[in-house]
Amino acid sequence: MKTPNNVSASIVTRNMSDFTHETGNVYESIAIISKRANQISVKLKEELNGKLAEFATTVDNLEEVFENREQIEISKHYERLPKPTNLAIEEFLEGKVTFRTLEEEALPTVRPTE
């Protein structure tokens, strides 16, 4: 997963009114952001597990476990990435997140009368 360079890895103070532009409701916006953050988190975890699976061994003895520099570097790289919540917030504020509400899906289609 490619992460944007403009996303801060640390905590940033946000103006809550910025979240209401898309939905008109802060709570709905936060719910959308949290769902997107979960999606990003799952994707990052799958990528990390896939990369670390190459180093997996079937050794159960602690004495036989050794340090692998490449494995440590991969883990450190993922630790330095911005948190999924920060990525989701940036995507939402930039308008890169698409969402549908239940009201939009439940509306019947109106057919013109003949």
Side-chain angles (χ1 to χ4, degrees):
M1 178 176 186
K2 186 176 182 251
T3 57
N5 295 333
N6 62 346
V7 177
S8 174
S10 62
I11 297 172
V12 178
T13 304
R14 304 279 181 178
N15 184 355
M16 293 303 287
S17 65
D18 293 343
F19 295 117
T20 61
H21 296 301
E22 289 286 325
T23 62
N25 186 337
V26 174
Y27 301 106
E28 187 175 348
S29 298
I30 298 299
I32 293 166
I33 290 169
S34 70
K35 288 179 183 181
R36 178 63 184 139
N38 285 336
Q39 291 173 344
I40 293 170
S41 177
V42 166
K43 182 129 180 120
L44 285 174
K45 186 172 175 115
E46 287 174 356
E47 283 181 16
L48 176 61
N49 287 339
K51 289 180 180 181
L52 293 180
E54 298 172 9
F55 304 103
T57 62
T58 57
V59 177
D60 288 338
N61 294 341
L62 288 177
E63 293 130 12
E64 296 181 23
V65 174
F66 59 93
E67 253 185 34
N68 187 334
R69 270 281 176 232
E70 190 176 351
Q71 184 178 6
I72 293 170
E73 289 303 316
I74 290 172
S75 296
K76 284 183 179 180
H77 169 73
Y78 277 88
E79 287 175 5
R80 286 189 294 264
L81 289 177
K83 302 299 178 219
T85 306
N86 289 348
L87 292 170
I89 289 171
E90 286 301 320
E91 285 181 4
F92 183 80
L93 293 177
E94 292 172 4
K96 296 179 180 177
V97 177
T98 58
F99 57 92
R100 293 184 308 254
T101 61
L102 291 176
E103 292 85 27
E104 291 173 357
E105 293 176 1
L107 289 176
T109 56
V110 179
R111 296 184 185 160
T113 57
E114 294 179 25

